[in-house]
Amino acid sequence: MKSAGKTTWVLAAPGAGDNHQLRALASLVSDDIRWFEAFDGVPRVLIDRLRPGAAKTMQADKKERFSPPWPNLVLIAGGRSVIDALRIRHASHGHSRIVCIGRPWAPLGWFDLVVTTPQYQLPESDSVLCLPLPLNLPDAETDAEHPVILSEWLDLPRPWLGVLLGGDSGSYQFTQNAAISIADQLNSYTRSTGGSALVISSPRTPGAALTALESQLQPAGVVHRWQAPQQPSLLPAVLQHADSLWVTSDSASMLAEAIYSAKQVSLLELPRRLRSRLLRWMRKRALPGKTIKQKLVERGLWLPARDLNLLHERLRHQGLLSDLNHAAQPELNKVNQQLQQDHEKLRRRISRLFE
C-alpha cells in the first residue's frame, strides 16, 4: 500500500541504473512524485562535504531549485545528492524524510532509511533495510514487441534461452576463454533441448570476447550485438519472450531484471579477479577487526568493497536462482510471492518513518 497523501521528491543520480531504481521505489511508495534532474559536479560535492554547516545552508541556486511546500519523502541514490537531501530536511524542520538506495557514501545516521542489497555489506541496523535484489523493476512501457527482432526469431526452434552478457568489472573479467566456455555451454543446451539461444550483449561486453563466442556458437544460437542508445533495446524483448534466462555473474542489475521477469534464471560465472578471490577468502574466515570496520562503515569512514558473491549466495538460498543444468527449478509462484513480500516490507518500513 502506498503512503496516502505523501509527496515525494526524487533527486536524480548520474547513472541510469540508479535512476531506474529510484523510479521503481518512488512508484512503490507514492503517487505524488516530483523529479529533479540536475545534480552537482564532483568538485562542488566534495566542497560541500568538507565545508562545515553546508547541509544547513540553502544557497541561492539551491533556493531556485528547492522551495516549499516541502515533501514528505526525499529519495536519492549514492552519494552525489546527500548534502542537497540534508538541506531539504533541515529547511523543512525535519518534516522531510530521506531514503537512500545502494551505498550512501556517508554516515548511516544521516539518513532515515538506507535501502541496500547484500553485495554492499552494510551493517544491519534500524535504519538499514537489505533486500535480496536491486529495485530494477520492469518498465511499464517497453520494446518487448520489437517487430524486427520478433520476425527474426519466429523460425527458431523452442524453447528459447535468453542469454544476457555483461562484461569486465571490478570483480570479474570477460575473457575470450570465458566466452568460448559460454558458447560450449549454450551448444550443449541447444543440443539437449532442441531449442535456441538468444544472446544479447551490453555496452561493457568486450568485442574480442563476443567475436570468440560467435565463432564457436552453433546455428541454433543467434547473437545480437549492443547498439547505440538511440536504438531500441532488445533486453525487454528477450525478458518477455524467452522461456528461461542465463545471466553473466558481473551484473546485479541485469540479474535483477531477469528475476523480476518471473522466468527461470541461472548464473553464468565469469572468471574472478584476484582481488575478488581474496575478498571471498577473507570473508569466509573469522578475521579480527570486523566490529571495528562495521563502526567505521556506520560513521562513513569505511566503504566495503562490493562483493557480488554475497548477492548470488542469498539469491540461491531464497530459491531465486536455478542451476545451469536445470536440475533444481524454482517454483515461479513462490518466487513472485517472495518478491512481493520484500516490496511490502519496504513499503512498511517507509510508512514507519511517518508514525
Side-chain angles (χ1 to χ4, degrees):
M1 180 180 295
K2 297 182 181 181
S3 300
K6 304 300 184 187
T7 60
T8 298
W9 285 6
V10 184
L11 309 189
D18 284 339
N19 287 327
H20 190 162
Q21 292 195 68
L22 286 170
R23 191 174 293 107
L25 177 55
S27 67
L28 283 174
V29 300
S30 179
D31 289 316
D32 187 355
I33 303 167
R34 181 180 175 187
W35 272 81
F36 293 84
E37 297 287 351
F39 46 82
D40 293 334
V42 173
R44 182 168 183 181
V45 170
L46 292 176
I47 291 172
D48 278 346
R49 286 292 187 95
L50 297 173
R51 184 164 57 88
K56 297 181 179 180
T57 304
M58 191 73 77
Q59 297 169 321
D61 63 326
K62 301 296 180 181
K63 289 181 180 179
E64 293 178 4
R65 293 185 64 206
F66 308 125
S67 59
W70 302 111
N72 301 97
L73 195 62
V74 180
L75 303 183
I76 65 172
R80 188 71 70 91
S81 299
V82 167
I83 298 300
D84 278 348
L86 294 174
R87 286 176 172 131
I88 294 167
R89 185 168 65 187
H90 179 75
S92 72
H93 301 289
H95 171 78
S96 302
R97 306 288 195 266
I98 303 173
V99 175
C100 178
I101 290 177
R103 282 186 290 189
W105 302 77
L108 300 182
W110 287 7
F111 307 94
D112 296 284
L113 182 65
V114 177
V115 181
T116 189
T117 40
Q119 71 269 30
Y120 295 127
Q121 305 184 70
L122 297 187
E124 295 183 7
S125 71
D126 290 339
S127 62
V128 175
L129 175 62
C130 187
L131 298 177
L133 277 174
L135 289 169
N136 292 81
L137 304 180
D139 289 326
E141 298 181 2
T142 70
D143 297 311
E145 301 300 332
H146 192 295
V148 175
I149 298 305
L150 293 182
S151 65
E152 292 180 6
W153 294 350
L154 287 179
D155 294 331
L156 297 174
R158 301 194 82 131
W160 291 348
L161 171 64
V163 183
L164 314 183
L165 302 180
D168 293 333
S169 70
S171 301
Y172 296 92
Q173 289 179 294
F174 201 147
T175 63
Q176 294 185 48
N177 286 338
I180 293 171
S181 175
I182 290 173
D184 289 342
Q185 293 176 81
L186 295 179
N187 293 337
S188 176
Y189 170 87
T190 55
R191 284 194 301 268
S192 64
T193 64
S196 307
L198 312 176
V199 184
I200 61 171
S201 65
S202 69
R204 293 188 297 107
T205 308
L210 190 58
T211 299
L213 187 151
E214 285 180 298
S215 69
Q216 298 294 316
L217 198 62
Q218 293 178 352
V222 56
V223 176
H224 293 281
R225 289 179 176 263
W226 179 84
Q227 297 178 331
Q230 61 267 25
Q231 299 296 322
S233 172
L234 306 186
L235 179 59
V238 172
L239 293 177
Q240 177 164 324
H241 297 287
D243 297 295
S244 57
L245 297 163
W246 289 3
V247 186
T248 54
S249 55
D250 59 288
S251 174
S253 59
M254 284 199 311
L255 186 58
E257 289 178 274
I259 291 176
Y260 284 127
S261 73
K263 303 290 175 66
Q264 179 179 310
V265 179
S266 302
L267 203 64
L268 283 166
E269 289 281 1
L270 294 178
R272 292 186 180 89
R273 296 184 186 274
L274 175 61
R275 169 176 169 271
S276 178
R277 297 198 300 270
L278 287 174
L279 286 173
R280 191 179 192 188
W281 179 86
M282 293 170 64
R283 183 169 53 81
K284 289 182 177 294
R285 285 153 179 79
L287 300 178
K290 286 189 175 181
T291 302
I292 296 175
K293 288 181 180 179
Q294 286 189 348
K295 295 293 184 183
L296 293 175
V297 171
E298 291 173 358
R299 297 173 185 176
L301 301 175
W302 178 275
L303 190 68
R306 189 179 72 150
D307 187 352
L308 283 172
N309 291 310
L310 294 171
L311 177 68
H312 301 158
E313 288 172 5
R314 178 160 176 180
L315 294 175
R316 288 192 180 97
H317 177 73
Q318 293 190 260
L320 299 178
L321 280 177
S322 300
D323 295 333
L324 279 177
N325 60 14
H326 294 183
Q329 297 186 10
E331 297 182 37
L332 295 181
N333 288 337
K334 289 186 177 181
V335 171
N336 291 332
Q337 184 179 16
Q338 175 67 55
L339 297 174
Q340 290 173 5
Q341 289 173 352
D342 290 332
H343 295 164
E344 185 56 36
K345 182 191 299 184
L346 173 58
R347 292 188 188 97
R348 289 197 301 268
R349 286 292 292 270
I350 291 180
S351 294
R352 280 166 48 189
L353 300 179
F354 303 106
E355 293 177 356

PDB file of all heavy atoms in Angstrom, residues 11 38-40 44 48 55 58 62 65-66 74 76 80-89 98:
ATOM      1  N   LEU A  11      15.762  13.021  -6.238  1.00  0.00           N
ATOM      2  CA  LEU A  11      16.948  13.729  -6.715  1.00  0.00           C
ATOM      3  C   LEU A  11      17.718  12.774  -7.619  1.00  0.00           C
ATOM      4  O   LEU A  11      18.275  11.772  -7.153  1.00  0.00           O
ATOM      5  CB  LEU A  11      17.811  14.199  -5.547  1.00  0.00           C
ATOM      6  CG  LEU A  11      17.097  14.983  -4.433  1.00  0.00           C
ATOM      7  CD1 LEU A  11      18.130  15.563  -3.458  1.00  0.00           C
ATOM      8  CD2 LEU A  11      16.202  16.074  -4.989  1.00  0.00           C
ATOM      9  N   ALA A  38      18.769  17.744 -12.431  1.00  0.00           N
ATOM     10  CA  ALA A  38      20.144  18.255 -12.341  1.00  0.00           C
ATOM     11  C   ALA A  38      20.796  17.810 -11.039  1.00  0.00           C
ATOM     12  O   ALA A  38      20.141  17.636 -10.009  1.00  0.00           O
ATOM     13  CB  ALA A  38      20.135  19.776 -12.433  1.00  0.00           C
ATOM     14  N   PHE A  39      22.118  17.635 -11.096  1.00  0.00           N
ATOM     15  CA  PHE A  39      22.882  17.317  -9.889  1.00  0.00           C
ATOM     16  C   PHE A  39      24.234  17.993  -9.980  1.00  0.00           C
ATOM     17  O   PHE A  39      24.709  18.333 -11.070  1.00  0.00           O
ATOM     18  CB  PHE A  39      23.040  15.798  -9.708  1.00  0.00           C
ATOM     19  CG  PHE A  39      23.443  15.073 -10.951  1.00  0.00           C
ATOM     20  CD1 PHE A  39      24.759  15.016 -11.358  1.00  0.00           C
ATOM     21  CD2 PHE A  39      22.484  14.450 -11.738  1.00  0.00           C
ATOM     22  CE1 PHE A  39      25.128  14.361 -12.518  1.00  0.00           C
ATOM     23  CE2 PHE A  39      22.843  13.786 -12.904  1.00  0.00           C
ATOM     24  CZ  PHE A  39      24.159  13.734 -13.290  1.00  0.00           C
ATOM     25  N   ASP A  40      24.870  18.213  -8.831  1.00  0.00           N
ATOM     26  CA  ASP A  40      26.141  18.932  -8.777  1.00  0.00           C
ATOM     27  C   ASP A  40      27.286  18.071  -9.302  1.00  0.00           C
ATOM     28  O   ASP A  40      27.252  16.846  -9.232  1.00  0.00           O
ATOM     29  CB  ASP A  40      26.445  19.357  -7.337  1.00  0.00           C
ATOM     30  CG  ASP A  40      25.479  20.404  -6.831  1.00  0.00           C
ATOM     31  OD1 ASP A  40      24.926  21.140  -7.664  1.00  0.00           O
ATOM     32  OD2 ASP A  40      25.278  20.476  -5.602  1.00  0.00           O
ATOM     33  N   ARG A  44      32.070  20.325  -6.577  1.00  0.00           N
ATOM     34  CA  ARG A  44      31.182  21.015  -5.640  1.00  0.00           C
ATOM     35  C   ARG A  44      30.680  20.054  -4.566  1.00  0.00           C
ATOM     36  O   ARG A  44      30.534  20.445  -3.392  1.00  0.00           O
ATOM     37  CB  ARG A  44      29.997  21.625  -6.382  1.00  0.00           C
ATOM     38  CG  ARG A  44      29.080  22.398  -5.438  1.00  0.00           C
ATOM     39  CD  ARG A  44      28.068  23.236  -6.156  1.00  0.00           C
ATOM     40  NE  ARG A  44      27.271  23.997  -5.205  1.00  0.00           N
ATOM     41  CZ  ARG A  44      26.285  24.823  -5.551  1.00  0.00           C
ATOM     42  NH1 ARG A  44      26.017  25.020  -6.842  1.00  0.00           N
ATOM     43  NH2 ARG A  44      25.602  25.468  -4.636  1.00  0.00           N
ATOM     44  N   ASP A  48      31.168  20.752  -0.598  1.00  0.00           N
ATOM     45  CA  ASP A  48      30.033  20.746   0.323  1.00  0.00           C
ATOM     46  C   ASP A  48      30.238  19.743   1.455  1.00  0.00           C
ATOM     47  O   ASP A  48      29.857  19.999   2.604  1.00  0.00           O
ATOM     48  CB  ASP A  48      28.743  20.401  -0.440  1.00  0.00           C
ATOM     49  CG  ASP A  48      28.141  21.612  -1.136  1.00  0.00           C
ATOM     50  OD1 ASP A  48      28.552  22.742  -0.823  1.00  0.00           O
ATOM     51  OD2 ASP A  48      27.244  21.428  -1.986  1.00  0.00           O
ATOM     52  N   ALA A  55      25.179  21.557   5.003  1.00  0.00           N
ATOM     53  CA  ALA A  55      23.870  20.915   4.959  1.00  0.00           C
ATOM     54  C   ALA A  55      22.773  21.772   5.577  1.00  0.00           C
ATOM     55  O   ALA A  55      21.589  21.480   5.407  1.00  0.00           O
ATOM     56  CB  ALA A  55      23.921  19.564   5.678  1.00  0.00           C
ATOM     57  N   MET A  58      20.966  26.836   2.627  1.00  0.00           N
ATOM     58  CA  MET A  58      20.330  26.733   1.320  1.00  0.00           C
ATOM     59  C   MET A  58      20.797  27.906   0.482  1.00  0.00           C
ATOM     60  O   MET A  58      20.300  29.023   0.602  1.00  0.00           O
ATOM     61  CB  MET A  58      18.806  26.732   1.458  1.00  0.00           C
ATOM     62  CG  MET A  58      18.080  26.368   0.180  1.00  0.00           C
ATOM     63  SD  MET A  58      18.183  24.622  -0.260  1.00  0.00           S
ATOM     64  CE  MET A  58      16.994  23.898   0.863  1.00  0.00           C
ATOM     65  N   LYS A  62      20.348  26.884  -4.930  1.00  0.00           N
ATOM     66  CA  LYS A  62      19.547  25.803  -4.358  1.00  0.00           C
ATOM     67  C   LYS A  62      18.132  26.277  -4.045  1.00  0.00           C
ATOM     68  O   LYS A  62      17.171  25.524  -4.197  1.00  0.00           O
ATOM     69  CB  LYS A  62      20.204  25.257  -3.086  1.00  0.00           C
ATOM     70  CG  LYS A  62      21.612  24.705  -3.289  1.00  0.00           C
ATOM     71  CD  LYS A  62      21.605  23.511  -4.213  1.00  0.00           C
ATOM     72  CE  LYS A  62      23.009  22.960  -4.405  1.00  0.00           C
ATOM     73  NZ  LYS A  62      23.017  21.805  -5.328  1.00  0.00           N
ATOM     74  N   ARG A  65      15.939  25.902  -6.945  1.00  0.00           N
ATOM     75  CA  ARG A  65      15.527  24.529  -7.246  1.00  0.00           C
ATOM     76  C   ARG A  65      14.575  23.985  -6.189  1.00  0.00           C
ATOM     77  O   ARG A  65      13.586  23.328  -6.512  1.00  0.00           O
ATOM     78  CB  ARG A  65      16.754  23.609  -7.321  1.00  0.00           C
ATOM     79  CG  ARG A  65      17.692  23.876  -8.479  1.00  0.00           C
ATOM     80  CD  ARG A  65      18.788  22.825  -8.501  1.00  0.00           C
ATOM     81  NE  ARG A  65      18.234  21.495  -8.745  1.00  0.00           N
ATOM     82  CZ  ARG A  65      18.808  20.348  -8.355  1.00  0.00           C
ATOM     83  NH1 ARG A  65      19.941  20.379  -7.669  1.00  0.00           N
ATOM     84  NH2 ARG A  65      18.254  19.195  -8.632  1.00  0.00           N
ATOM     85  N   PHE A  66      14.891  24.247  -4.921  1.00  0.00           N
ATOM     86  CA  PHE A  66      14.138  23.632  -3.830  1.00  0.00           C
ATOM     87  C   PHE A  66      13.402  24.714  -3.039  1.00  0.00           C
ATOM     88  O   PHE A  66      14.034  25.613  -2.479  1.00  0.00           O
ATOM     89  CB  PHE A  66      15.072  22.872  -2.888  1.00  0.00           C
ATOM     90  CG  PHE A  66      15.984  21.903  -3.586  1.00  0.00           C
ATOM     91  CD1 PHE A  66      17.359  21.976  -3.412  1.00  0.00           C
ATOM     92  CD2 PHE A  66      15.482  20.919  -4.418  1.00  0.00           C
ATOM     93  CE1 PHE A  66      18.212  21.079  -4.037  1.00  0.00           C
ATOM     94  CE2 PHE A  66      16.321  20.020  -5.052  1.00  0.00           C
ATOM     95  CZ  PHE A  66      17.686  20.099  -4.866  1.00  0.00           C
ATOM     96  N   VAL A  74      12.267  12.297   0.546  1.00  0.00           N
ATOM     97  CA  VAL A  74      13.311  12.628  -0.435  1.00  0.00           C
ATOM     98  C   VAL A  74      14.055  11.327  -0.750  1.00  0.00           C
ATOM     99  O   VAL A  74      14.590  10.675   0.152  1.00  0.00           O
ATOM    100  CB  VAL A  74      14.298  13.681   0.111  1.00  0.00           C
ATOM    101  CG1 VAL A  74      15.357  13.990  -0.943  1.00  0.00           C
ATOM    102  CG2 VAL A  74      13.558  14.947   0.507  1.00  0.00           C
ATOM    103  N   ILE A  76      17.166   9.437  -2.827  1.00  0.00           N
ATOM    104  CA  ILE A  76      18.439   9.626  -3.511  1.00  0.00           C
ATOM    105  C   ILE A  76      19.097   8.268  -3.708  1.00  0.00           C
ATOM    106  O   ILE A  76      18.699   7.277  -3.104  1.00  0.00           O
ATOM    107  CB  ILE A  76      19.395  10.562  -2.733  1.00  0.00           C
ATOM    108  CG1 ILE A  76      19.804   9.913  -1.402  1.00  0.00           C
ATOM    109  CG2 ILE A  76      18.762  11.917  -2.489  1.00  0.00           C
ATOM    110  CD1 ILE A  76      20.901  10.683  -0.673  1.00  0.00           C
ATOM    111  N   ARG A  80      25.999  11.460  -4.443  1.00  0.00           N
ATOM    112  CA  ARG A  80      26.070  12.763  -5.113  1.00  0.00           C
ATOM    113  C   ARG A  80      25.085  13.784  -4.546  1.00  0.00           C
ATOM    114  O   ARG A  80      25.380  14.976  -4.501  1.00  0.00           O
ATOM    115  CB  ARG A  80      25.814  12.552  -6.616  1.00  0.00           C
ATOM    116  CG  ARG A  80      26.042  13.800  -7.475  1.00  0.00           C
ATOM    117  CD  ARG A  80      27.510  14.137  -7.590  1.00  0.00           C
ATOM    118  NE  ARG A  80      28.234  13.187  -8.397  1.00  0.00           N
ATOM    119  CZ  ARG A  80      28.424  13.299  -9.719  1.00  0.00           C
ATOM    120  NH1 ARG A  80      27.900  14.317 -10.379  1.00  0.00           N
ATOM    121  NH2 ARG A  80      29.123  12.394 -10.368  1.00  0.00           N
ATOM    122  N   SER A  81      23.899  13.344  -4.115  1.00  0.00           N
ATOM    123  CA  SER A  81      22.851  14.282  -3.673  1.00  0.00           C
ATOM    124  C   SER A  81      22.636  14.283  -2.162  1.00  0.00           C
ATOM    125  O   SER A  81      21.619  14.797  -1.692  1.00  0.00           O
ATOM    126  CB  SER A  81      21.529  13.947  -4.380  1.00  0.00           C
ATOM    127  OG  SER A  81      21.649  14.077  -5.779  1.00  0.00           O
ATOM    128  N   VAL A  82      23.574  13.739  -1.420  1.00  0.00           N
ATOM    129  CA  VAL A  82      23.394  13.623   0.031  1.00  0.00           C
ATOM    130  C   VAL A  82      23.199  14.991   0.681  1.00  0.00           C
ATOM    131  O   VAL A  82      22.261  15.203   1.457  1.00  0.00           O
ATOM    132  CB  VAL A  82      24.594  12.892   0.670  1.00  0.00           C
ATOM    133  CG1 VAL A  82      24.569  13.039   2.185  1.00  0.00           C
ATOM    134  CG2 VAL A  82      24.583  11.419   0.286  1.00  0.00           C
ATOM    135  N   ILE A  83      24.087  15.939   0.378  1.00  0.00           N
ATOM    136  CA  ILE A  83      24.005  17.254   1.041  1.00  0.00           C
ATOM    137  C   ILE A  83      22.728  17.977   0.652  1.00  0.00           C
ATOM    138  O   ILE A  83      22.081  18.621   1.502  1.00  0.00           O
ATOM    139  CB  ILE A  83      25.245  18.106   0.702  1.00  0.00           C
ATOM    140  CG1 ILE A  83      26.516  17.425   1.210  1.00  0.00           C
ATOM    141  CG2 ILE A  83      25.121  19.494   1.333  1.00  0.00           C
ATOM    142  CD1 ILE A  83      26.550  17.192   2.696  1.00  0.00           C
ATOM    143  N   ASP A  84      22.303  17.869  -0.612  1.00  0.00           N
ATOM    144  CA  ASP A  84      21.042  18.504  -1.013  1.00  0.00           C
ATOM    145  C   ASP A  84      19.869  17.899  -0.238  1.00  0.00           C
ATOM    146  O   ASP A  84      18.953  18.626   0.176  1.00  0.00           O
ATOM    147  CB  ASP A  84      20.812  18.332  -2.513  1.00  0.00           C
ATOM    148  CG  ASP A  84      21.566  19.370  -3.332  1.00  0.00           C
ATOM    149  OD1 ASP A  84      22.070  20.342  -2.741  1.00  0.00           O
ATOM    150  OD2 ASP A  84      21.651  19.204  -4.565  1.00  0.00           O
ATOM    151  N   ALA A  85      19.877  16.593  -0.040  1.00  0.00           N
ATOM    152  CA  ALA A  85      18.802  15.960   0.726  1.00  0.00           C
ATOM    153  C   ALA A  85      18.792  16.462   2.167  1.00  0.00           C
ATOM    154  O   ALA A  85      17.724  16.738   2.733  1.00  0.00           O
ATOM    155  CB  ALA A  85      18.971  14.441   0.685  1.00  0.00           C
ATOM    156  N   LEU A  86      19.982  16.605   2.749  1.00  0.00           N
ATOM    157  CA  LEU A  86      20.065  17.127   4.119  1.00  0.00           C
ATOM    158  C   LEU A  86      19.596  18.572   4.185  1.00  0.00           C
ATOM    159  O   LEU A  86      18.962  18.988   5.170  1.00  0.00           O
ATOM    160  CB  LEU A  86      21.501  17.018   4.625  1.00  0.00           C
ATOM    161  CG  LEU A  86      22.047  15.597   4.818  1.00  0.00           C
ATOM    162  CD1 LEU A  86      23.525  15.636   5.174  1.00  0.00           C
ATOM    163  CD2 LEU A  86      21.261  14.856   5.891  1.00  0.00           C
ATOM    164  N   ARG A  87      19.901  19.364   3.153  1.00  0.00           N
ATOM    165  CA  ARG A  87      19.413  20.762   3.104  1.00  0.00           C
ATOM    166  C   ARG A  87      17.892  20.803   3.116  1.00  0.00           C
ATOM    167  O   ARG A  87      17.273  21.632   3.804  1.00  0.00           O
ATOM    168  CB  ARG A  87      19.951  21.455   1.854  1.00  0.00           C
ATOM    169  CG  ARG A  87      21.416  21.824   1.907  1.00  0.00           C
ATOM    170  CD  ARG A  87      21.875  22.414   0.583  1.00  0.00           C
ATOM    171  NE  ARG A  87      23.220  22.955   0.673  1.00  0.00           N
ATOM    172  CZ  ARG A  87      24.196  22.694  -0.203  1.00  0.00           C
ATOM    173  NH1 ARG A  87      23.973  21.882  -1.229  1.00  0.00           N
ATOM    174  NH2 ARG A  87      25.392  23.237  -0.046  1.00  0.00           N
ATOM    175  N   ILE A  88      17.283  19.926   2.325  1.00  0.00           N
ATOM    176  CA  ILE A  88      15.821  19.906   2.253  1.00  0.00           C
ATOM    177  C   ILE A  88      15.237  19.524   3.612  1.00  0.00           C
ATOM    178  O   ILE A  88      14.279  20.144   4.089  1.00  0.00           O
ATOM    179  CB  ILE A  88      15.357  18.931   1.151  1.00  0.00           C
ATOM    180  CG1 ILE A  88      15.784  19.459  -0.221  1.00  0.00           C
ATOM    181  CG2 ILE A  88      13.845  18.723   1.206  1.00  0.00           C
ATOM    182  CD1 ILE A  88      15.649  18.442  -1.336  1.00  0.00           C
ATOM    183  N   ARG A  89      15.809  18.507   4.253  1.00  0.00           N
ATOM    184  CA  ARG A  89      15.292  18.100   5.563  1.00  0.00           C
ATOM    185  C   ARG A  89      15.460  19.213   6.583  1.00  0.00           C
ATOM    186  O   ARG A  89      14.565  19.462   7.402  1.00  0.00           O
ATOM    187  CB  ARG A  89      15.992  16.831   6.038  1.00  0.00           C
ATOM    188  CG  ARG A  89      15.409  16.299   7.355  1.00  0.00           C
ATOM    189  CD  ARG A  89      15.903  14.901   7.675  1.00  0.00           C
ATOM    190  NE  ARG A  89      17.349  14.875   7.921  1.00  0.00           N
ATOM    191  CZ  ARG A  89      18.038  13.749   8.088  1.00  0.00           C
ATOM    192  NH1 ARG A  89      17.430  12.575   8.014  1.00  0.00           N
ATOM    193  NH2 ARG A  89      19.345  13.793   8.322  1.00  0.00           N
ATOM    194  N   ILE A  98      14.537  11.179   4.561  1.00  0.00           N
ATOM    195  CA  ILE A  98      15.499  10.864   3.500  1.00  0.00           C
ATOM    196  C   ILE A  98      15.677   9.357   3.404  1.00  0.00           C
ATOM    197  O   ILE A  98      15.994   8.696   4.408  1.00  0.00           O
ATOM    198  CB  ILE A  98      16.867  11.522   3.762  1.00  0.00           C
ATOM    199  CG1 ILE A  98      16.729  13.038   3.910  1.00  0.00           C
ATOM    200  CG2 ILE A  98      17.837  11.197   2.632  1.00  0.00           C
ATOM    201  CD1 ILE A  98      18.017  13.722   4.345  1.00  0.00           C
TER     202      ILE A  98
END
